[in-house]
Amino acid sequence: MFYFIKTPWLVKKLIPFGVWDIPDAPNTLYLSFDDGPHPTITPFVLDLLKKYQAKATFFCIGKNVMEHRKIYESILEQGHAVGNHTQNHLNGWKTPNDIYIKNIEIAQEHIKTNLFRPPYGRIKNSQSIMLKKLNPAMKIIMWDILSADFDVTINAEKCISNVLKNIKPGAIIVFHDSEKAFPRLQKTLPVVLAQLTESGFVLNKIPENLS
């Protein structure tokens, strides 16, 4: 499995329609969680965020929102942001454009947001154009740092290092509130939240009115 922990500047240049970081936010970081909501893992994350007075953005899969509506509503009630992560976690590179966009539309019926993150970070330029035509206010949110909590071949200590060694103000950081990631997330997130808070960072949600 190949992936970048810290997104190289060249990748950001090659996909200019994506928001990779928010550099005009001094001393602020943006934690994000993909693939939920999950009936037990998402509440675990929410409790930790509340403990450290942190806000985050949850990129939700539409079918999971349908199955766990109360958990989804608790995300909003606690002041966090939500984003569209398609209805069925589709890979844009492997999905015809019309099917991909329709899947986003279906998810949007359950997730009212102007934030979208493509599963796996894989979206064609043609799909991004179609998405902007569908909703000109929609922002395609990518990331600056991957915790890699989804990788079953690494341990929590590696995930912690992935995040803390690459921190910079304005960074968008990816975790997953999913069963696959939880063995690493449950050990990683408490340490990361504690250390970032102690270091004086503000942990905020991604604003929907990004320019």
Side-chain angles (χ1 to χ4, degrees), residues 147-211:
S147 68
D149 55 356
F150 57 84
D151 189 342
V152 299
T153 69
I154 66 174
N155 57 27
E157 287 71 26
K158 176 59 176 170
C159 292
I160 293 167
S161 175
N162 287 343
V163 175
L164 297 181
K165 286 188 175 180
N166 291 292
I167 286 299
K168 69 172 186 179
I172 298 173
I173 306 160
V174 179
F175 295 97
H176 296 78
D177 49 337
S178 67
E179 291 184 12
K180 181 181 180 182
F182 192 57
R184 287 154 298 284
L185 179 71
Q186 65 178 330
K187 298 178 182 178
T188 299
L189 190 59
V191 175
V192 167
L193 284 171
Q195 293 203 25
L196 293 180
T197 302
E198 185 178 340
S199 297
F201 284 103
V202 175
L203 306 176
N204 208 350
K205 61 186 177 182
I206 299 170
E208 288 201 39
N209 60 348
L210 284 170
S211 58

Side-chain angles (χ1 to χ4, degrees), residues 4 26 38-39 45 53 70 82 123 171:
F4 294 109
H38 184 279
V45 172
Q53 300 181 350
K70 289 185 178 179
V82 294
I123 181 172

Side-chain angles (χ1 to χ4, degrees), residues 16 24 38 44 52 65 72 81 108 133 136 164-165 178 198:
D24 58 346
H38 184 279
F44 165 83
Y52 288 97
V65 172
Y72 173 78
Q108 194 71 7
K133 287 182 179 179
L164 297 181
K165 286 188 175 180
S178 67
E198 185 178 340

Side-chain angles (χ1 to χ4, degrees), residues 26-95:
N27 225 37
T28 300
L29 300 172
Y30 298 91
L31 304 185
S32 62
F33 297 86
D34 290 3
D35 298 352
H38 184 279
T40 58
I41 300 170
T42 304
F44 165 83
V45 172
L46 290 173
D47 287 346
L48 276 174
L49 293 174
K50 184 176 182 180
K51 177 181 177 180
Y52 288 97
Q53 300 181 350
K55 298 303 179 188
T57 306
F58 290 79
F59 289 92
C60 299
I61 297 172
K63 68 179 182 63
N64 290 344
V65 172
M66 295 174 67
E67 293 173 5
H68 308 296
R69 188 75 198 184
K70 289 185 178 179
I71 304 298
Y72 173 78
E73 290 172 355
S74 70
I75 294 172
L76 296 170
E77 288 167 0
Q78 294 185 37
H80 303 288
V82 294
N84 186 323
H85 203 45
T86 75
Q87 180 71 9
N88 302 101
H89 204 262
L90 297 186
N91 183 330
W93 293 359
K94 298 180 178 180
T95 307

Side-chain angles (χ1 to χ4, degrees), residues 107-172:
Q108 194 71 7
E109 295 174 7
H110 310 287
I111 308 166
K112 305 302 182 183
T113 181
N114 287 327
L115 304 176
F116 173 73
R117 174 172 285 160
Y120 315 103
R122 294 175 180 174
I123 181 172
K124 303 170 191 171
N125 183 61
S126 55
Q127 292 166 342
S128 75
I129 293 170
M130 292 174 69
L131 181 57
K132 294 295 284 186
K133 287 182 179 179
L134 180 69
N135 179 2
M138 190 73 86
K139 300 298 181 183
I140 298 173
I141 308 297
M142 304 299 268
W143 58 81
D144 192 42
I145 300 170
L146 276 180
S147 68
D149 55 356
F150 57 84
D151 189 342
V152 299
T153 69
I154 66 174
N155 57 27
E157 287 71 26
K158 176 59 176 170
C159 292
I160 293 167
S161 175
N162 287 343
V163 175
L164 297 181
K165 286 188 175 180
N166 291 292
I167 286 299
K168 69 172 186 179
I172 298 173

